[in-house]
Amino acid sequence: MTTGNVSVVAPVSEHGDDYALTRVPAEARHHWFSVCIQRFGQLSCLSQFMLGAALGFGMTFTNAILAVVLGAVILEVVGVFTGIIGQREGLSTSVIARWTGFGRWGSGLIGIVIALSLTGWFGVQTAVSAESLKTIIPVGPIWLWSLLFGLAVTAIVIYGFNSMAWVAYVTVPAFILLAGYLVIAKLTEYDLHSLVSGQPAGPVLSLGAGATLVAGGFIVGMVTTPDMTRFNRSARDVVKQTLLGVTLGELVMCLAGVLLAHALRTDSVVDIVTSSSGFVGTLIIVSGTLKINDWNLYSSTLGIVNALQTSFGVVVNRRIVTIIVGIAGSVLAALGILDHFIDFLTVLGVVIPPIAGIMATEYFLVRTWRAELDRSAAGLPAQEPTLIIGTLVVWLLAAAVGYYVTWGISSLNSLVVAMVGYFLFAKVGLLKPLSIQPSRFGAAA
């Protein structure tokens, strides 16, 4: 089916596995707008709204704009480079990592880290939506709403990219319209000039800290960009959708949150939304959470599928993994256990950014395996490195810098250290794999 020249639905693999371990073929690629609306949907969500409120609570309007722009530029650079890798190779993040610096076992570790991080956030955001639904439909306990919302998202993700595209066409406009209504209704009660020129209500937040919040808030999504851009048709499409989706998503939602924080002198957007607009506010939260939560689950399952194939040589259908992980995340949300893991999830968010730096440096500069990837354009390389100790050392060093060094923008610090460290290690010969073996993808390709 098409809308104008925009493909809304594209073929899926015959096993309904959404090419979890293989390249996405040309006939299954989408028009860039179909992918862009999902990228925009990830960023035009409640978390970005809350991020904007945090900036507005601690920064002037001008500094908040600068922080958003700086953070968005970092995200766009990461998203473009990792996205082009995904588009050219048609492979998910954890799979392509095998031939972009990490090897078989390193890519399996990446799959586990991504799965832990995104499954955790899937559960946390499921719990947020459940609490909101409970406020307008005071029937049954919150744990039941957690299960219902989590299982609804799981049902969407089971059918992969195509069903998620359909959801984006509904939830993204709904969220924009509802959030726009709230913002306009609130801000018309205040003088816009005073909001723009006024001082923040909370403790002062530095420009570097603000940019770190913006970049760090979605850096995991940028690292896993190949999961999405493997469905793109060209590198130009990746650039267009990244610049448009990230710029609009960050600017529109963050700046709306900044203005609300200046107007209402608080950073508690959830309370503002639910208390001031009731049913509409709850719809804002649910629609704003749904579009990012399906991608949390989707990328998580791709990481698990790759990790299982790496560790045990077992090819598991992505739909089965989606059902298991979706139920597990929903149950954990219902039990309230995930509230205690937010600090752990934050640490994972520091560990993940260097992955992008290593992958981009290997693919575009070092190019150890580019020839193999090019020769196997119709399938997958016949061989793969098993474990590259040097890469793991660079990864750990970069993550440590991101975690412990408080100067500047932590996400950018870890990215730069990963890129420079990997390049230097390659130049002095410290990236030799322990062995090179036949690829385990032979049976799956």
Side-chain angles (χ1 to χ4, degrees), residues 290-344:
L290 181 60
K291 196 63 217 85
I292 191 172
N293 226 19
D294 59 359
W295 273 98
N296 284 339
L297 181 57
Y298 185 72
S299 289
S300 175
T301 58
L302 291 177
I304 291 173
V305 168
N306 178 61
L308 288 174
Q309 201 266 0
T310 296
S311 301
F312 305 106
V314 176
V315 178
V316 181
N317 188 280
R318 183 197 60 84
R319 288 184 172 182
I320 295 174
V321 175
T322 299
I323 293 171
I324 294 172
V325 176
I327 291 174
S330 302
V331 170
L332 290 175
L335 295 174
I337 294 176
L338 288 167
D339 293 339
H340 305 288
F341 287 98
I342 291 182
D343 289 339
F344 173 65

Side-chain angles (χ1 to χ4, degrees), residues 331-367:
V331 170
L332 290 175
L335 295 174
I337 294 176
L338 288 167
D339 293 339
H340 305 288
F341 287 98
I342 291 182
D343 289 339
F344 173 65
L345 295 173
T346 302
V347 172
L348 288 180
V350 175
V351 171
I352 290 176
I355 295 171
I358 291 171
M359 290 177 64
T361 303
E362 167 58 39
Y363 190 82
F364 293 106
L365 296 178
V366 178
R367 299 168 65 92

Side-chain angles (χ1 to χ4, degrees), residues 221-303:
M222 289 296 124
V223 174
T224 58
T225 291
D227 296 349
M228 178 182 291
T229 59
R230 63 201 180 106
F231 289 96
N232 276 121
R233 296 172 179 172
S234 70
R236 180 179 298 178
D237 288 351
V238 173
V239 175
K240 284 190 296 187
Q241 78 192 28
T242 302
L243 295 180
L244 184 61
V246 174
T247 301
L248 287 180
E250 291 288 358
L251 286 177
V252 172
M253 301 316 304
C254 284
L255 294 185
V258 169
L259 288 173
L260 281 177
H262 275 240
L264 302 174
R265 317 301 288 173
T266 179
D267 60 348
S268 181
V269 170
V270 175
D271 291 342
I272 295 171
V273 170
T274 55
S275 64
S276 63
S277 50
F279 179 76
V280 173
T282 300
L283 290 180
I284 291 174
I285 292 175
V286 173
S287 61
T289 302
L290 181 60
K291 196 63 217 85
I292 191 172
N293 226 19
D294 59 359
W295 273 98
N296 284 339
L297 181 57
Y298 185 72
S299 289
S300 175
T301 58
L302 291 177

Side-chain angles (χ1 to χ4, degrees), residues 346-347 350-351 395-411 413-414 417:
T346 302
V347 172
V350 175
V351 171
W395 186 10
L396 289 174
L397 287 174
V401 169
Y403 186 78
Y404 290 108
V405 175
T406 57
W407 177 85
I409 301 172
S410 60
S411 299
N413 292 342
S414 63
V417 170

Side-chain angles (χ1 to χ4, degrees), residues 74-148:
I74 294 172
L75 293 175
E76 287 167 348
V77 170
V78 176
V80 165
F81 280 103
T82 58
I84 289 175
I85 295 173
Q87 181 275 320
R88 286 182 177 177
E89 303 304 332
L91 294 168
S92 68
T93 305
S94 57
V95 171
I96 192 60
R98 295 193 180 200
W99 298 281
T100 53
F102 287 91
R104 177 189 297 174
W105 299 106
S107 77
L109 182 59
I110 287 175
I112 293 171
V113 169
I114 290 174
L116 285 173
S117 177
L118 296 182
T119 301
W121 288 119
F122 168 80
V124 169
Q125 297 196 43
T126 293
V128 170
S129 292
E131 291 176 4
S132 302
L133 288 167
K134 173 70 173 177
T135 62
I136 62 168
I137 309 177
V139 177
I142 289 180
W143 65 262
L144 179 59
W145 287 108
S146 294
L147 286 177
L148 292 175

Side-chain angles (χ1 to χ4, degrees), residues 45-56:
C45 62
L46 185 67
S47 60
Q48 299 307 108
F49 212 38
M50 296 169 67
L51 172 60
L55 296 177

